[in-house]
Amino acid sequence: MAKSIFVFALMLLSGCTTVVIDEYRRSDGELARGDSVVILGRRHSSEYETEPDLVDCVGRRLHNPKRGVTVIPEQQFVDAMYPWFEARTAPMHLKSLDRLVDIPEVRERMETYGVKYIVWIDGSTETTASAGSIGCSIGTGGAGCFGFGTWDKESDYEASVWDFRDRELSGKLSADAKGTSYMPAIVVPIPLIARVQNNACKGMAAQLQQFLLPAQPAGGKSSSS
């Protein structure tokens, strides 16, 4: 019995998550020395926000000064630009950005940071389905659990790339990741987690780098793990 469980677990550990990246490009990236990028999450209200850990993940993976990509951490930028990029005051559209740029203090701070691109990420990761059950009990022979459970998660994110200096939309990227996690339990539950959000982050960061630095070697638009 132990051998068959081990083989089953190995099968479940492979191919749990699929990530698809789509891109719409209006212009090529033009990052130059001294330019920086800001990655921000859409937060329209107290009831909705793009997860800060996803935004932070994309920023950390994209940040690579040696290859010409400098990312300003989201919280650092929001604090420095207070109150113009708080959830209720942040520009939702390019026309709103135009109005902000007309404020001398905003323009001065943006120029101090060398901001070339503002990348807005909108979306979330949700559990879409679950099945199975696990029961645990305590008896004279000890405690143990038995059962099998699964749950599906889906990440759906879109990144809009604004060219701050030209005040235009440079393009959009979308990341769609799906995965199934498993938890078999024979005495002890063993969670086999599909890292759906993390894989969406990896795919989006890799594609943003190709977007902002088109001269770099390009890879595929989809991946799985």
Coordinates of all heavy atoms in Angstrom, one line a residue, residues 144-210:
G144 N -5.5 9.5 13.8 CA -5.3 9.4 12.4 C -6.3 10.0 11.5 O -7.4 10.3 12.0
C145 N -6.0 10.2 10.3 CA -6.9 10.9 9.3 C -7.0 10.0 8.1 O -6.1 9.2 7.7 CB -6.4 12.3 8.9 SG -6.3 13.4 10.3
F146 N -8.2 10.1 7.4 CA -8.4 9.3 6.2 C -9.3 10.1 5.3 O -10.3 10.6 5.7 CB -9.0 7.9 6.5 CG -9.1 7.1 5.3 CD1 -8.1 6.3 4.8 CD2 -10.4 7.0 4.6 CE1 -8.2 5.5 3.6 CE2 -10.5 6.2 3.5 CZ -9.4 5.5 3.0
G147 N -8.9 10.1 4.0 CA -9.8 10.7 3.0 C -8.9 11.3 1.9 O -7.7 11.1 1.8
F148 N -9.6 12.1 1.1 CA -8.9 12.7 -0.1 C -9.7 14.0 -0.5 O -10.9 13.9 -0.6 CB -8.9 11.7 -1.3 CG -8.1 12.2 -2.5 CD1 -6.7 12.2 -2.5 CD2 -8.8 12.8 -3.6 CE1 -6.0 12.7 -3.6 CE2 -8.1 13.2 -4.7 CZ -6.7 13.2 -4.7
G149 N -9.0 15.1 -0.6 CA -9.6 16.3 -1.0 C -8.9 17.0 -2.1 O -7.6 16.8 -2.3
T150 N -9.6 17.7 -3.0 CA -9.0 18.5 -4.0 C -9.6 19.9 -4.1 O -10.7 20.1 -3.6 CB -9.1 17.9 -5.4 OG1 -10.5 17.9 -5.8 CG2 -8.7 16.4 -5.4
W151 N -8.9 20.9 -4.5 CA -9.4 22.2 -4.8 C -8.7 22.9 -5.9 O -7.5 22.7 -6.1 CB -9.4 23.1 -3.5 CG -8.0 23.4 -3.0 CD1 -7.3 24.5 -3.2 CD2 -7.2 22.6 -2.1 NE1 -6.1 24.4 -2.5 CE2 -6.0 23.2 -1.8 CE3 -7.4 21.3 -1.5 CZ2 -5.1 22.7 -1.0 CZ3 -6.5 20.8 -0.7 CH2 -5.3 21.5 -0.4
D152 N -9.5 23.5 -6.8 CA -9.0 24.2 -8.0 C -8.8 25.7 -7.7 O -9.7 26.3 -7.1 CB -9.9 24.0 -9.1 CG -10.1 22.6 -9.5 OD1 -9.1 21.8 -9.3 OD2 -11.2 22.2 -10.0
K153 N -7.8 26.3 -8.2 CA -7.6 27.7 -8.1 C -7.3 28.3 -9.4 O -6.7 27.6 -10.3 CB -6.4 28.1 -7.1 CG -6.8 28.0 -5.7 CD -5.8 28.7 -4.8 CE -6.2 28.8 -3.3 NZ -5.3 29.6 -2.5
E154 N -7.7 29.5 -9.6 CA -7.5 30.2 -10.9 C -7.0 31.7 -10.6 O -7.6 32.4 -9.8 CB -8.7 30.3 -11.7 CG -8.5 31.0 -13.1 CD -9.7 30.8 -14.0 OE1 -10.7 30.1 -13.6 OE2 -9.7 31.4 -15.1
S155 N -5.9 32.0 -11.3 CA -5.4 33.4 -11.2 C -5.7 34.1 -12.5 O -5.4 33.5 -13.6 CB -3.9 33.4 -10.9 OG -3.6 32.9 -9.7
D156 N -6.2 35.3 -12.4 CA -6.6 36.0 -13.7 C -6.1 37.5 -13.4 O -6.7 38.2 -12.6 CB -8.1 36.0 -13.9 CG -8.4 36.6 -15.3 OD1 -7.5 37.0 -16.0 OD2 -9.6 36.8 -15.5
Y157 N -5.0 37.9 -14.1 CA -4.4 39.2 -13.9 C -4.2 39.9 -15.3 O -3.9 39.2 -16.3 CB -3.1 39.1 -13.2 CG -3.2 38.6 -11.8 CD1 -2.8 37.2 -11.5 CD2 -3.6 39.4 -10.7 CE1 -2.9 36.7 -10.2 CE2 -3.7 38.8 -9.4 CZ -3.4 37.5 -9.2 OH -3.5 37.0 -7.9
E158 N -4.3 41.2 -15.3 CA -4.0 42.0 -16.4 C -3.1 43.2 -16.0 O -3.4 43.8 -15.0 CB -5.3 42.6 -17.1 CG -5.0 43.4 -18.4 CD -6.3 43.9 -19.0 OE1 -6.8 44.9 -18.5 OE2 -6.7 43.3 -20.0
A159 N -2.1 43.4 -16.8 CA -1.1 44.5 -16.5 C -1.2 45.5 -17.7 O -1.1 45.1 -18.9 CB 0.3 43.9 -16.4
S160 N -1.5 46.7 -17.3 CA -1.5 47.8 -18.3 C -0.3 48.6 -18.1 O 0.0 49.1 -17.0 CB -2.8 48.7 -18.1 OG -4.0 48.0 -18.2
V161 N 0.5 48.8 -19.2 CA 1.7 49.5 -19.2 C 1.5 50.9 -19.7 O 1.3 51.1 -20.9 CB 2.8 48.8 -20.0 CG1 4.2 49.5 -19.9 CG2 2.9 47.3 -19.6
W162 N 1.7 51.9 -18.8 CA 1.6 53.3 -19.2 C 2.9 53.9 -19.4 O 3.8 53.8 -18.5 CB 0.8 54.1 -18.1 CG -0.6 53.8 -17.9 CD1 -1.4 52.9 -18.6 CD2 -1.5 54.4 -17.0 NE1 -2.7 52.9 -18.2 CE2 -2.8 53.8 -17.2 CE3 -1.4 55.4 -16.1 CZ2 -3.9 54.2 -16.5 CZ3 -2.5 55.8 -15.3 CH2 -3.8 55.2 -15.5
D163 N 3.1 54.6 -20.5 CA 4.3 55.4 -20.7 C 4.1 56.7 -20.1 O 3.3 57.6 -20.6 CB 4.6 55.5 -22.2 CG 6.0 56.2 -22.5 OD1 6.3 57.1 -21.8 OD2 6.7 55.7 -23.4
F164 N 4.8 57.0 -18.9 CA 4.5 58.2 -18.2 C 5.0 59.5 -19.0 O 4.2 60.5 -19.0 CB 5.3 58.2 -16.9 CG 5.3 59.5 -16.2 CD1 4.2 60.1 -15.6 CD2 6.5 60.2 -16.1 CE1 4.2 61.3 -15.0 CE2 6.5 61.5 -15.4 CZ 5.4 62.0 -14.9
R165 N 6.1 59.4 -19.7 CA 6.6 60.6 -20.4 C 5.8 60.9 -21.6 O 5.5 62.1 -21.9 CB 8.1 60.4 -20.7 CG 8.9 60.3 -19.5 CD 10.4 60.2 -19.8 NE 11.1 59.9 -18.5 CZ 12.2 59.1 -18.5 NH1 12.6 58.5 -19.6 NH2 12.8 58.9 -17.3
D166 N 5.4 59.9 -22.4 CA 4.6 60.1 -23.6 C 3.1 60.1 -23.3 O 2.3 60.4 -24.2 CB 4.9 59.0 -24.6 CG 6.3 59.1 -25.1 OD1 6.9 60.2 -25.0 OD2 6.8 58.1 -25.7
R167 N 2.8 59.8 -22.0 CA 1.4 59.8 -21.6 C 0.5 59.0 -22.5 O -0.5 59.4 -23.1 CB 0.8 61.2 -21.5 CG 1.7 62.1 -20.5 CD 1.0 63.4 -20.3 NE 2.0 64.4 -19.8 CZ 1.7 65.7 -19.5 NH1 0.5 66.1 -19.6 NH2 2.6 66.5 -19.1
E168 N 0.9 57.7 -22.8 CA 0.1 56.8 -23.6 C 0.2 55.4 -23.1 O 1.1 55.0 -22.3 CB 0.7 56.9 -25.0 CG 2.1 56.3 -25.2 CD 2.6 56.3 -26.6 OE1 1.9 57.0 -27.5 OE2 3.6 55.7 -26.9
L169 N -0.7 54.6 -23.6 CA -0.8 53.2 -23.3 C 0.2 52.5 -24.2 O 0.0 52.5 -25.4 CB -2.2 52.6 -23.4 CG -2.3 51.1 -23.2 CD1 -2.1 50.7 -21.7 CD2 -3.7 50.6 -23.7
S170 N 1.2 51.9 -23.6 CA 2.2 51.1 -24.4 C 1.7 49.7 -24.8 O 2.1 49.2 -25.8 CB 3.6 51.0 -23.7 OG 4.1 52.3 -23.6
G171 N 0.9 49.1 -23.9 CA 0.4 47.8 -24.2 C -0.2 47.2 -23.0 O -0.2 47.8 -21.9
K172 N -0.7 45.9 -23.1 CA -1.3 45.2 -22.0 C -0.8 43.7 -22.1 O -0.5 43.2 -23.1 CB -2.8 45.2 -22.1 CG -3.4 46.6 -21.9 CD -4.9 46.5 -21.8 CE -5.6 47.8 -21.5 NZ -7.0 47.7 -21.4
L173 N -0.7 43.2 -20.9 CA -0.4 41.7 -20.7 C -1.4 41.1 -19.8 O -1.9 41.7 -18.9 CB 1.0 41.6 -20.0 CG 2.2 42.3 -20.7 CD1 3.4 42.1 -19.7 CD2 2.5 41.6 -22.0
S174 N -1.7 39.9 -20.1 CA -2.7 39.1 -19.2 C -2.0 37.8 -18.9 O -1.4 37.2 -19.7 CB -4.0 38.9 -19.9 OG -3.9 38.1 -21.0
A175 N -2.3 37.4 -17.6 CA -1.8 36.1 -17.1 C -3.0 35.3 -16.6 O -3.7 35.8 -15.7 CB -0.7 36.3 -16.0
D176 N -3.1 34.1 -17.1 CA -4.2 33.2 -16.7 C -3.6 31.9 -16.2 O -3.0 31.2 -17.1 CB -5.2 33.0 -17.9 CG -6.4 32.1 -17.4 OD1 -6.6 31.9 -16.2 OD2 -7.1 31.7 -18.3
A177 N -3.7 31.7 -15.0 CA -3.1 30.4 -14.4 C -4.1 29.6 -13.7 O -5.0 30.1 -13.0 CB -2.0 30.8 -13.4
K178 N -4.1 28.3 -13.9 CA -5.1 27.4 -13.3 C -4.3 26.2 -12.7 O -3.3 25.8 -13.3 CB -6.1 26.9 -14.4 CG -6.9 28.0 -15.0 CD -7.9 27.4 -16.0 CE -8.7 28.5 -16.7 NZ -9.7 28.0 -17.7
G179 N -4.8 25.7 -11.6 CA -4.1 24.6 -11.0 C -5.0 23.9 -10.0 O -6.0 24.5 -9.5
T180 N -4.7 22.6 -9.8 CA -5.4 21.8 -8.8 C -4.5 21.3 -7.7 O -3.4 20.8 -8.0 CB -6.0 20.6 -9.5 OG1 -6.9 21.0 -10.5 CG2 -6.8 19.8 -8.5
S181 N -4.9 21.6 -6.5 CA -4.1 21.1 -5.3 C -4.8 19.8 -4.8 O -6.0 19.7 -4.9 CB -4.1 22.1 -4.2 OG -3.4 23.3 -4.7
Y182 N -4.0 18.9 -4.2 CA -4.5 17.7 -3.6 C -4.1 17.5 -2.2 O -3.0 17.9 -1.8 CB -4.0 16.5 -4.5 CG -4.2 16.6 -5.9 CD1 -3.3 17.3 -6.8 CD2 -5.3 16.0 -6.5 CE1 -3.5 17.4 -8.1 CE2 -5.5 16.1 -7.9 CZ -4.6 16.8 -8.7 OH -4.9 16.9 -10.0
M183 N -4.9 16.8 -1.4 CA -4.6 16.4 -0.1 C -5.0 15.0 0.3 O -6.1 14.8 0.8 CB -5.1 17.4 1.0 CG -4.6 17.1 2.4 SD -5.2 18.3 3.6 CE -4.2 19.8 3.1
P184 N -4.2 14.0 -0.1 CA -4.5 12.7 0.4 C -4.2 12.5 1.9 O -3.2 13.1 2.4 CB -3.6 11.8 -0.5 CG -2.4 12.7 -0.8 CD -3.0 14.1 -0.9
A185 N -5.0 11.7 2.6 CA -4.7 11.6 4.0 C -4.9 10.1 4.4 O -6.0 9.6 4.3 CB -5.7 12.4 4.8
I186 N -3.8 9.5 4.7 CA -3.8 8.1 5.3 C -3.0 8.2 6.5 O -1.7 8.2 6.5 CB -3.3 7.1 4.3 CG1 -4.2 7.0 3.1 CG2 -3.2 5.7 5.0 CD1 -3.8 6.0 2.1
V187 N -3.6 8.4 7.7 CA -3.0 8.7 9.0 C -2.6 10.2 9.1 O -3.1 10.9 9.9 CB -1.8 7.8 9.3 CG1 -1.2 8.1 10.7 CG2 -2.1 6.3 9.2
V188 N -1.8 10.6 8.1 CA -1.3 12.0 8.1 C -1.7 12.7 6.8 O -1.3 12.2 5.8 CB 0.2 12.1 8.4 CG1 0.6 13.6 8.4 CG2 0.6 11.5 9.7
P189 N -2.4 13.9 6.8 CA -2.7 14.6 5.6 C -1.4 15.1 4.9 O -0.5 15.6 5.6 CB -3.5 15.8 6.0 CG -4.1 15.4 7.4 CD -3.0 14.5 8.0
I190 N -1.3 14.9 3.6 CA -0.1 15.4 2.8 C -0.6 16.4 1.8 O -1.1 16.0 0.7 CB 0.6 14.2 2.2 CG1 1.0 13.1 3.2 CG2 1.8 14.6 1.4 CD1 1.5 11.8 2.6
P191 N -0.4 17.7 2.0 CA -0.9 18.7 1.0 C 0.1 18.8 -0.2 O 1.3 18.9 0.0 CB -0.9 20.0 1.8 CG 0.1 19.8 2.9 CD 0.1 18.3 3.3
L192 N -0.5 18.7 -1.4 CA 0.3 18.9 -2.6 C -0.3 20.1 -3.3 O -1.3 20.1 -3.9 CB 0.2 17.6 -3.5 CG 0.5 16.3 -2.8 CD1 0.2 15.1 -3.7 CD2 2.0 16.3 -2.4
I193 N 0.4 21.2 -3.0 CA -0.2 22.5 -3.4 C 0.3 23.0 -4.8 O 1.4 23.0 -5.1 CB 0.3 23.6 -2.3 CG1 -0.1 23.1 -0.9 CG2 -0.4 24.9 -2.7 CD1 -1.6 22.9 -0.7
A194 N -0.7 23.4 -5.6 CA -0.4 24.0 -6.9 C -0.2 25.5 -6.6 O -1.0 26.2 -6.1 CB -1.6 23.8 -7.8
R195 N 1.0 26.0 -7.0 CA 1.4 27.4 -6.7 C 0.9 28.3 -7.8 O 1.7 28.8 -8.7 CB 2.9 27.4 -6.5 CG 3.4 26.5 -5.4 CD 4.9 26.7 -5.2 NE 5.2 28.0 -4.7 CZ 6.5 28.4 -4.6 NH1 7.5 27.7 -5.0 NH2 6.7 29.6 -4.1
V196 N -0.4 28.4 -7.9 CA -1.1 29.1 -9.0 C -0.6 30.6 -9.1 O -0.2 31.1 -10.1 CB -2.6 29.0 -8.9 CG1 -3.3 29.7 -10.1 CG2 -3.0 27.5 -8.9
Q197 N -0.8 31.3 -8.0 CA -0.5 32.7 -8.0 C 1.0 32.9 -8.3 O 1.4 33.8 -9.0 CB -0.9 33.4 -6.7 CG -0.7 34.9 -6.7 CD -0.9 35.5 -5.3 OE1 0.0 35.4 -4.4 NE2 -2.1 36.1 -5.1
N198 N 1.9 32.1 -7.7 CA 3.3 32.3 -7.8 C 3.7 32.1 -9.3 O 4.6 32.8 -9.8 CB 4.1 31.3 -6.9 CG 5.6 31.5 -7.0 OD1 6.1 32.5 -6.6 ND2 6.3 30.5 -7.5
N199 N 3.1 31.1 -10.0 CA 3.4 30.8 -11.4 C 2.9 31.9 -12.3 O 3.5 32.3 -13.3 CB 2.9 29.5 -11.8 CG 3.7 28.3 -11.2 OD1 4.9 28.5 -11.0 ND2 3.0 27.2 -10.9
A200 N 1.7 32.5 -11.9 CA 1.2 33.7 -12.7 C 2.2 34.8 -12.5 O 2.5 35.5 -13.5 CB -0.2 34.1 -12.1
C201 N 2.8 35.0 -11.3 CA 3.8 36.1 -11.1 C 5.0 35.8 -12.0 O 5.5 36.8 -12.6 CB 4.1 36.1 -9.6 SG 5.7 36.9 -9.3
K202 N 5.5 34.6 -12.0 CA 6.7 34.3 -12.8 C 6.5 34.6 -14.3 O 7.3 35.2 -15.0 CB 7.1 32.8 -12.6 CG 7.6 32.5 -11.3 CD 7.9 31.0 -11.3 CE 8.5 30.5 -9.9 NZ 8.7 29.0 -10.0
G203 N 5.3 34.2 -14.8 CA 5.0 34.4 -16.2 C 4.9 35.8 -16.6 O 5.4 36.3 -17.6
M204 N 4.2 36.6 -15.7 CA 4.0 38.0 -16.0 C 5.3 38.8 -15.9 O 5.5 39.7 -16.8 CB 2.9 38.6 -15.0 CG 2.6 40.0 -15.3 SD 1.1 40.6 -14.4 CE -0.2 39.9 -15.5
A205 N 6.1 38.5 -14.9 CA 7.4 39.2 -14.8 C 8.3 38.9 -16.0 O 8.9 39.8 -16.5 CB 8.1 38.8 -13.5
A206 N 8.3 37.7 -16.4 CA 9.2 37.3 -17.6 C 8.7 38.0 -18.8 O 9.5 38.5 -19.6 CB 9.2 35.8 -17.8
Q207 N 7.4 38.1 -19.0 CA 6.9 38.7 -20.2 C 7.0 40.3 -20.2 O 7.3 40.9 -21.2 CB 5.4 38.4 -20.5 CG 4.9 38.6 -21.9 CD 5.6 37.7 -22.9 OE1 6.2 36.7 -22.5 NE2 5.4 38.1 -24.2
L208 N 6.9 40.8 -19.0 CA 7.1 42.3 -18.8 C 8.6 42.6 -19.2 O 8.8 43.7 -19.8 CB 6.8 42.7 -17.4 CG 5.3 43.0 -17.1 CD1 5.1 43.2 -15.6 CD2 4.9 44.3 -17.9
Q209 N 9.5 41.8 -18.8 CA 10.9 42.1 -19.1 C 11.1 42.1 -20.6 O 11.8 42.9 -21.2 CB 11.8 41.0 -18.5 CG 13.3 41.2 -18.8 CD 14.2 40.4 -18.0 OE1 14.4 40.6 -16.8 NE2 14.8 39.4 -18.6
Q210 N 10.5 41.1 -21.3 CA 10.6 41.1 -22.8 C 9.9 42.3 -23.4 O 10.3 42.8 -24.4 CB 10.0 39.8 -23.3 CG 10.7 38.6 -23.0 CD 10.1 37.3 -23.5 OE1 9.3 37.4 -24.4 NE2 10.5 36.2 -22.9

